[in-house]
Structure formats: C-alpha cells, structure tokens
Amino acid sequence: MIDQYLLRYFLAVAETGNFSRAARSVAVTQPTLSAGIAKLERELGARLFDRDRQRVALTPAGSRFLIRARRIAAEYEHALVELAEPAESSLLRVGVLNTIPNRLIGRALAEHHELSGDALELLDGGERDLAERLERGRIDVALTVVRPHHARYRPEVLSRERYMMVLPREHPLAGENEVLAEQLAQDRMALRRHCEALPEINRFFTQRGVRPRFVLKTTSDERVLSVIRSGAGVGMMPEGFADGTVSFVPVRDFELVREIGLLHGAAVQGSAFLDIVRRHLGRATPAQD
C-alpha cells in the first residue's frame, strides 16, 4: 500500500512542475521530497518524472498514475470530511429505485414524518447503482427490484407487479381485457429509457414484427404518464404506476413480472419507515401467476 504522504509529494510536483516549489507547498525540505518521490518510483517500479535543470515533466507512466493519484486523494479527503461530521446514531440510509412510483414514496414519507422522529436519508438511483452502494456500505437498505442473485442481501419481497400497456383513457383499446402487440403498431410509444425490463420489452415487440415509432424517450416516469394522459402516445409500465388517470391493459403473452422489495446491508434495527413501506406495498394488488 502506498503511503498517503508519497501521494501528496507526487501531486505537488505534478501540479507545480518544480521540486523546490512542491517541497514548500507540502512543508518539507527538497531532499525529503526528492527521497519520497524516489521511494514512490521504486514501489511502483516506474519512473514518474523526467528531470533536468530547466524543468520537471511527467513521464507517460507518471501521466497515467496522475489520474489514479488524484482519485485516491479525493476519496481520502472525502473520507476525512465524512468522519469529521457528527454521526447520527439513528440515521437510516435508504436507497430507492428510481422506477418506484413517486406517490408511494411521498405517502410513506408523509406518514413517517407524522409518526416518527427517526432520522432518514433517501438516495435515488438505478438498480445497479443501489446494489453497488449496498455492497460498499454506503446505504443500509435498498427498496428495489429483487433478483435471484440478491440472496446475500436477505431479500424481502413486498409486492409483485406485471408490466402492462398504458393507454389514454379515450384510446379504442382502453376498455379491453387484454391487447395484442400487433394492435399497437400504429401508436407512437413513450419510451422509458431507464426501464429495467426494456430489453425484454423490445425483444417481445420485435419478435412480433412491431417496430414502434416513438413520441418520447425519457428517464422520467411522470413525463411518460403526462404524454399518455394527453393522448399523444402509449407506453409500457409496471402496474404499480396505475393512478386512475390512464388505462393499464395486459398485453397477451407478455407475462414479465417484477418483484419489489427490500435488500438489507448491515444489520438494521427496527425502522418505522420500513414498516410503513411494507404496509403500503402490501396493499398493492399482486400480479396473477
């Protein structure tokens, strides 16, 4: 492991282009700094600087190392800041999948605010991002899509919901029990670019010879719903987004279901917020098998 002071010496020389100025900036003598750079080069097995009486320049290896050194130094400084901040012993850090309906989170937060004074911190993110943060201990629990490979996070499935076709209420097919993909070939689609089921949806329509024409491509679920409400397009969404302002109709032979639940990182004590989330999701109508 490289000592932190050696990174400081290296960055000082790289940024000043001069050993004397670099030594002053890190408050050591020039011989001390030169010895530190030599030690770093031995540990890395590469020469980092070209030196002459006129200037100091990074070698190709030094240029590559500079990128890494800056990242390491930034992470170190960030860690120091976090450690210096007063800890909130009751703080619960919850990662929330960005395709969980906003109204669900809003209701849970409102109820939590009324009933509990527990400190809560929410982090919005994609499925992969939340899993990585959970792995690194950056969040305590994630409300997200539960996958088979999540077993190590003690998954707690709270609801299951199908992906369905979302139609304007005045659409000719809005009152049907189900629709065929081919029946929607002439409609323009509002595409949810962040949808975790997008590959499966694309493959399903392509296999049926349907090449959608798009009216919208976005990562905003609310914008998709706004376009559909306006009558300008249709879309595919999990049925948990149903709010009465648009029609959700099953698509024949498209049986994909997503499981929403909690993934746990480190041991989490009893949480009022998580109990509220469990209760709200438990009210959702489960998908039919």
Side-chain angles (χ1 to χ4, degrees), residues 169-235:
R169 295 182 66 178
E170 66 276 10
H171 193 283
L173 300 174
E176 298 296 322
N177 292 326
E178 65 176 11
V179 296
L180 301 176
E182 296 82 349
Q183 290 178 288
L184 301 159
Q186 300 306 312
D187 286 280
R188 291 191 174 274
M189 297 284 292
L191 178 69
R192 302 169 65 242
R193 301 183 68 165
H194 57 308
C195 178
E196 54 277 338
L198 189 57
E200 291 90 341
I201 293 172
N202 286 341
R203 185 162 50 250
F204 177 82
F205 279 92
T206 300
Q207 289 173 347
R208 284 154 181 78
V210 179
R211 302 283 182 177
R213 299 172 301 153
F214 298 104
V215 65
L216 172 71
K217 296 181 180 180
T218 182
T219 58
S220 168
D221 290 313
E222 184 52 43
R223 187 159 299 167
V224 169
L225 288 170
S226 295
V227 166
I228 297 172
R229 291 187 195 107
S230 74
V234 302

Side-chain angles (χ1 to χ4, degrees), residues 14 33 51 78 87 90 94 114 164 186 209 213 245 255 275:
L33 182 134
R51 310 165 177 84
H78 183 66
S90 62
V94 182
E114 290 181 4
M164 304 176 74
Q186 300 306 312
R213 299 172 301 153
T245 66
E255 303 296 335
D275 288 341

Side-chain angles (χ1 to χ4, degrees), residues 10-117:
F10 169 76
L11 289 171
V13 176
E15 290 166 3
T16 64
N18 181 280
F19 272 68
S20 297
R21 289 194 295 270
R24 288 195 296 271
S25 72
V26 294
V28 298
T29 65
Q30 184 172 334
T32 298
L33 182 134
S34 296
I37 294 297
K39 179 181 178 181
L40 179 60
E41 290 178 324
R42 287 195 301 273
E43 290 185 2
L44 294 175
R47 186 165 49 85
L48 301 175
F49 296 101
D50 285 325
R51 310 165 177 84
D52 59 35
R53 292 188 177 184
Q54 303 299 321
R55 65 185 182 90
V56 175
L58 287 165
T59 63
S63 296
R64 293 193 298 272
F65 183 65
L66 177 61
I67 298 172
R68 300 286 184 180
R70 283 174 172 163
R71 289 178 182 170
I72 294 170
E75 283 292 325
Y76 180 75
E77 292 298 325
H78 183 66
L80 292 179
V81 171
E82 285 188 342
L83 290 173
E85 294 176 348
E88 294 183 78
S89 58
S90 62
L91 176 66
L92 178 68
R93 302 167 301 169
V94 182
V96 179
L97 185 67
N98 51 20
T99 60
I100 301 291
N102 289 337
R103 70 176 185 281
L104 169 66
I105 303 303
R107 287 200 303 265
L109 283 173
E111 187 172 338
H112 177 264
H113 180 69
E114 290 181 4
L115 302 179
S116 172

